[in-house]
Amino acid sequence: MSTSPLSTNTSTTNNIENVIIIGSGPAGLTAAVYAARARLSPLMIEGEESGGQLMLTTEVENYPGFEHGITGPDLITVMRKQAERFGTKFITRNVTKVDFSSRPFKVYVGQQMYQAQSIIISTGASAKYLGLPSEKEYMNKGVSACATCDGAFFRDQEVGVVGGGDTAMEEAQFLTRFAKKVYLIHRKDSFRASKIMSDRVLKHPKIEVLYNKEVIEVLGDGKTVNKLKLKDTVNGEIQEKSMQGLFLAIGHKPNTDLFKGQITLHDNGYIKTQPGTSYTNIPGVFAAGDVQDFVYRQAITAAGSGCTAALDCERWLEKEGSH
Ligand code: NDP
């Protein structure tokens, strides 16, 4: 690739890509497969910790096509190979800045600038965690931020769900399908969740709410979780309760810091797309996956929206006469 200095610090390729895909979870990789097969020769800037949230999961049993399940990292590996096979180019670095104010769009990786006719944003979202060292130690060994993904591994066990919003209500209820008992652990004495969802939880015979409690430590034998240490937020009392799983449902953060001020976001920070499409407010910039979805948040829905974004992008480029 030939490069020419733009300023003393920045270098750029002379090449203008058809499409740059930012982010390499199932949304980005599916967009890459479709864009590459459409001969757009996409450039994916996959990030230094590529693969997204699936890299943090163990077994994925609900992704169609894998009868016996597949691990999250293996699923990402095969998707990436598939995208590569059709000609996707990869850069394993983090995007540090974007400029979507004029075309071609500009994407910076440190001092290196890349240009493209179109962009697909698929930077995902990250689950929020409590930030305890023991929580990290038992990640995927009993600690999870996704009941839909990992709930089935807790058949007939006792689990805790932390949070007081709609996600916590939904996850607690979902977990009752498997667990024999679900403790909903909330730091306050009332929920911020909608009344209808709270009522379902409060009425559920398998769910016990532990109000005014926070998890201060996850305890186990190094391989699995067996207890949670809880602190009462009112009187400071500490207790240990037997539980084999801990599900965090304290919210997600969309990875949109890079795009603030350039793309229209919802109040909760997720990218706004035009209903039923991947179009953002900027023509030529598309968004797919969890970065624009705070409702479904599944690998398969992310992959589906990656396909939508590639098709929208391909048709837009054709209409613009750019490809
Ligand atoms: P929310 O931000 O609504 O709730 C997060 C919850 O986690 C709050 O109860 C908060 O406590 C608690 N929390 C945050 N940080 C900590 C912490 N460090 N320690 C302990 N507890 C903590 O997030 P949700 O994911 O629940 O919901 C996000 C959005 O998605 C909402 O608008 C929700 O309505 C929507 N949603 C809708 C669904 C549906 O309609 N089917 C399903 C799921 C989500 P506190 O209350 O004390 O601040």
Side-chain angles (χ1 to χ4, degrees), residues 130 162-167 170 186-188 192 197 249-251:
L130 299 171
V162 181
D166 283 331
T167 302
E170 209 167 61
H186 185 37
R187 62 185 178 183
K188 292 195 181 132
R192 74 160 71 180
M197 292 179 68
I250 59 173

Side-chain angles (χ1 to χ4, degrees), residues 156-169:
D156 297 323
Q157 301 189 2
E158 296 188 313
V159 299
V161 176
V162 181
D166 283 331
T167 302
M169 304 301 132

Side-chain angles (χ1 to χ4, degrees), residues 132-147:
L132 306 169
S134 54
E135 171 190 52
K136 212 167 184 180
E137 183 188 346
Y138 286 101
M139 188 72 67
N140 292 328
K141 297 176 185 169
V143 175
S144 166
C146 178

